[in-house]
Amino acid sequence: MIEVVVFPWLAFGHMLPFLELSKRLAARGHAIAFVSTPRNLARLPPVPPHLSSRLRFVSMPLPRVDGLPDGAESTADVPPEKIELLKKAMDGLAAPFAAFLAGGTKPDWIIHDFCHHWVPPIADEHNVPCAAFMIVHAAFVAFLGPRWANAEYPRAATEDFAVAPGWMASQSTVAYRRRSEAEWVAGMFRANASGVPDIERVWGMFERSRLIIYRSCDEVDPGMFALLTDLLRKPAVPAGVLLPPVVAAHDRDEVLRWLDEQPRKSVIYVALGSEAPLTRKNLHELAHGLELADVRFLWALRKPAGLFDSGGSAGDRGVLPDGFEERTRARGLVCTGWVPQVAVLAHGATGAFLTHCGWGSTVESFAFGLPLVMLPFIVDQPLVARAMEEKGIGVEVARDDTDGSFDRDAVSAAVRRVMVDDEGKVLASNARKLQEILADEMVQERYIDDLVEHLRRY
């Protein structure tokens, strides 16, 4: 048995795949301690009873930081401009985490996230090895590169990030083509309100971890893990795509009941995550585009920070265009509450997914063979969109190359290409082929077995 401490970043897009990995390890008889803050732990889905004896949760209250809203413990609780303060608060968990390690049985491993540059030094004091688990697109990790590669091929100006780095010259499509996208990545190399530039967190984590684990596999990213092993000078270990289970809903909520009434493959599911930097103009153009496309849609409209409060409809507070919900009621549903995304993607009425291309959402779409309409914003999302375009399973909404803006006509055109035009049939066929490859559970489980073997060996 291996004892593992698992410590994700304070974002549900990170905590959920960390939990999925924890469950896979616990199912093999290993003991897992999952560390997070009280409110986040309370919001995680329940662990299957047969795993509860091997998967325990360790709660660490988040220190207060000036400027961070009361009760904010995850990126879902704060607007984008406050996320750096959340990192500062998480840095305050260093002392409690050190006390936790000193006060209990020494684990065999700590598996941590991208921003935990202070975990490996603490672990070294207790002679515990660390592994980083990267839940982003593997190509994004290669694009960032280690400290030595950035010293050899320095980047500073925004334009430097609009092309593939020198160590990836053979993969010239791995780049941030739009200025707005490149500017976001360039910001990772600059000072921020947390006191530590993001790239310093990442480099520190790379340098002090013995293994780097990825939520991916050779079938999705062929050749990438050999490149990453050479680049980071330590094993790149794919854990498989960790597809979440589809849990049967005993009580069909409003969303699923509505889908039950729609024809097969007739609905495009729209969800842009909880962290996309959406403006009111973005939302209005997206809404008008869906209206112009004249197809059935289900829109999981997450709360954009500061735009509207939870509960009620979006339209009555001006977030969506006046009368939009009334005009589209016969063929569309807007939901501002919780939506069971995996169940929606699995539903027979869902024919495509309009997504921000977060890696977690993209992986979930793989499980059900859905073609994509893609509207990326930040982090690895633009790189994911390019990769899915190359695989022939998605169409990106046309954007302005300078500021990343888009209009209703571009949204409508992309939606119709996927949902109405013959091109959509080709995209759907390609998506189903990828689904068939990734549906081989024996192959995916073998990645976890290989990971366990690495944990034993290193």
Side-chain angles (χ1 to χ4, degrees), residues 78-387:
V78 297
E81 64 271 15
K82 299 281 189 181
I83 287 177
E84 302 309 330
L85 294 178
L86 195 63
K87 290 174 186 166
K88 185 176 182 179
M90 187 165 186
D91 290 345
L93 292 177
F97 185 73
F100 161 70
L101 281 187
T105 304
K106 187 178 83 169
D108 297 299
W109 278 91
I110 298 170
I111 297 178
H112 58 84
D113 214 328
F114 80 99
C115 60
H116 296 53
H117 64 298
W118 44 266
V119 167
I122 294 171
D124 285 347
E125 294 176 9
H126 298 273
N127 199 29
V128 178
C130 286
F133 179 32
M134 305 304 290
I135 58 85
V136 292
H137 186 33
F140 176 62
V141 180
F143 183 89
L144 292 180
R147 194 187 306 270
W148 71 262
N150 280 272
E152 191 170 328
Y153 299 93
R155 299 177 290 183
T158 297
E159 292 74 18
D160 296 335
F161 298 90
V163 295
W167 59 88
M168 296 185 75
S170 64
Q171 295 172 297
S172 59
T173 59
V174 182
Y176 288 80
R177 296 188 304 218
R178 299 187 183 97
R179 184 176 180 85
S180 57
E181 299 167 353
E183 179 61 33
W184 187 93
V185 184
M188 288 188 66
F189 289 70
R190 300 170 188 152
N192 61 53
S194 77
V196 183
D198 283 346
I199 197 63
E200 287 293 337
R201 294 178 182 273
V202 171
W203 286 343
M205 172 271 298
F206 284 162
E207 291 158 0
R208 302 288 289 267
S209 298
R210 292 194 192 177
L211 305 172
I212 313 293
I213 305 165
Y214 298 86
R215 186 187 188 182
S216 190
C217 60
D218 292 317
E219 292 78 10
V220 173
D221 286 309
M224 185 57 68
F225 304 107
L227 168 65
L228 287 164
T229 295
D230 290 343
L231 191 59
L232 302 183
R233 297 172 177 171
K234 56 197 59 184
V237 186
V241 292
L242 300 172
L243 297 177
V246 181
V247 180
H250 298 294
D251 298 316
R252 306 289 280 179
D253 65 13
E254 176 196 8
V255 169
L256 296 179
R257 289 198 305 271
W258 183 84
L259 281 173
D260 289 341
E261 297 171 358
Q262 310 307 315
R264 180 170 174 76
K265 298 296 182 186
S266 66
V267 176
I268 185 166
Y269 172 56
V270 182
L272 300 178
S274 58
E275 298 174 43
L278 292 165
T279 64
R280 194 181 305 274
K281 185 175 188 300
N282 290 152
L283 290 171
H284 278 223
E285 291 304 310
L286 179 54
H288 285 305
L290 290 171
E291 189 172 359
L292 282 172
D294 196 27
V295 300
R296 290 178 172 84
F297 66 87
L298 167 61
W299 189 353
L301 181 55
R302 304 279 180 88
K303 176 185 177 183
L307 288 187
F308 63 91
D309 298 322
S310 59
S313 72
D316 59 6
R317 286 175 303 282
V319 173
L320 294 180
D322 289 342
F324 169 77
E325 289 177 272
E326 290 73 22
R327 291 193 302 273
T328 60
R329 195 178 304 281
R331 57 182 173 81
L333 178 66
V334 178
C335 182
T336 59
W338 179 78
V339 171
Q341 177 159 299
V342 175
V344 168
L345 293 173
H347 198 285
T350 304
F353 185 13
L354 196 162
T355 173
H356 62 311
C357 288
W359 188 235
S361 290
T362 305
V363 164
E364 288 175 359
S365 77
F366 292 164
F368 308 109
L370 295 174
L372 306 174
V373 174
M374 303 181 295
L375 196 59
F377 289 90
I378 56 174
V379 199
D380 59 338
Q381 297 162 15
L383 298 186
V384 174
R386 310 289 126 76

Side-chain angles (χ1 to χ4, degrees), residues 371 391-393 417-418 421-433:
K391 289 182 185 295
I393 64 174
R417 282 175 65 186
V418 174
D421 297 349
D422 288 342
E423 181 182 2
K425 297 174 183 175
V426 177
L427 296 167
S429 175
N430 293 337
R432 287 193 297 272
K433 289 174 185 173

Side-chain angles (χ1 to χ4, degrees), residues 23-48:
K23 290 192 291 186
R24 306 293 173 99
L25 294 174
R28 285 161 170 76
H30 306 297
I32 312 298
F34 188 104
V35 178
S36 193
T37 62
R39 187 162 179 245
N40 287 332
L41 293 178
R43 290 184 284 183
L44 289 175
V47 171

